[in-house]
Amino acid sequence: MIDEFAKDNLHGRLRRDREALLWKLDGLSEYDARRPLTATGTSLLGLVKHVATVEARYFGEVFDRPSPEPLPRWQDSDGGDLWAAEGETRDQIIAFYRRTWEHSDATINELPLDTPGHVPWWPEPFPHTNLFAVMVHVVGESNRHAGHADILREGLDGRTGMRPEHEKQIDEKARAAYYAKIEQAARSAAPIKA
């Protein structure tokens, strides 16, 4: 009973985070979806591609259920899953992510939480694991990157939130006043030295 509750809860959280991550692409130009927004080159579309690859590996290779998607061997990873190449379209990357969901969901639905798995890229003694630990790990990864996407999207056009039904109209004046209040508190707590 508790296993099904735990699995359903984790799976529901994973589904929610997937949708939130994709929502961050809504309404963006092709350039804004794929351009680097941090010094390390992080982009919104790159986050989607990366999380899709993470899911494909963890719910595929780890349980000897290889993803039907072509993936380079994990040993050969060169960071190409972190950004959208010129020849890759947004639709292709989103479709890859959605197909990965289907494969991941099949693994989650078909295997019990104590199903053993092997993560060869984890150091000893951690490679020998199970579906429960992998679900917790992937939910954490997805949530972390959805949070990155929140910040990146806010930096682009001010949009915030996890789901469209919770999004509020941006009140620029109220936002600026709130920002100024926080800035003032920071300056008061740690005066800038000339």
Side-chain angles (χ1 to χ4, degrees):
M1 183 80 152
I2 190 72
D3 281 1
E4 284 309 307
F5 174 79
K7 184 193 270 192
D8 290 346
N9 214 307
L10 289 169
H11 202 177
R13 179 64 185 239
L14 180 60
R15 287 180 177 122
R16 187 192 78 181
D17 291 343
R18 288 169 175 166
E19 293 293 343
L21 184 56
L22 279 187
W23 178 57
K24 294 300 172 179
L25 296 173
D26 281 2
L28 290 179
S29 69
E30 194 63 32
Y31 174 70
D32 283 340
R34 60 178 53 236
R35 72 179 167 127
L37 297 167
T38 69
T40 58
T42 304
S43 69
L44 286 163
L45 195 55
L47 286 172
V48 171
K49 183 179 175 185
H50 173 67
V51 173
T53 303
V54 165
E55 265 202 51
R57 288 202 191 289
Y58 278 98
F59 293 118
E61 295 171 42
V62 168
F63 298 100
D64 200 24
R65 298 167 60 97
S67 170
E69 298 295 321
L71 296 172
R73 293 176 340 131
W74 66 268
Q75 301 95 323
D76 300 331
S77 179
D78 63 357
D81 70 317
L82 296 168
W83 58 284
E86 189 175 341
E88 294 176 303
T89 68
R90 179 191 328 215
D91 288 344
Q92 287 171 328
I93 291 171
I94 290 171
F96 164 50
Y97 193 24
R98 289 188 184 280
R99 288 189 306 273
T100 296
W101 295 359
E102 291 175 19
H103 186 260
S104 298
D105 289 348
T107 297
I108 292 166
N109 290 333
E110 293 170 21
L111 302 179
L113 282 178
D114 62 351
T115 300
H118 181 75
V119 185
W121 51 90
W122 285 0
E124 287 296 338
F126 306 108
H128 303 289
T129 190
N130 60 34
L131 181 60
F132 176 77
V134 167
M135 286 184 76
V136 169
H137 180 79
V138 173
V139 166
E141 282 284 314
S142 298
N143 187 266
R144 177 175 182 233
H145 294 309
H148 292 148
D150 286 341
I151 299 297
L152 295 178
R153 183 62 191 254
E154 182 179 347
L156 281 173
D157 62 9
R159 286 182 71 182
T160 62
M162 279 191 56
R163 296 190 297 266
E165 62 268 21
H166 297 296
E167 188 174 25
K168 295 181 178 141
Q169 198 69 0
I170 298 170
D171 179 341
E172 294 293 343
K173 188 174 179 181
R175 189 176 275 186
Y178 184 70
Y179 180 93
K181 175 181 167 180
I182 296 169
E183 176 67 21
Q184 179 57 45
R187 286 184 185 280
S188 294
I192 297 174
K193 297 182 189 214

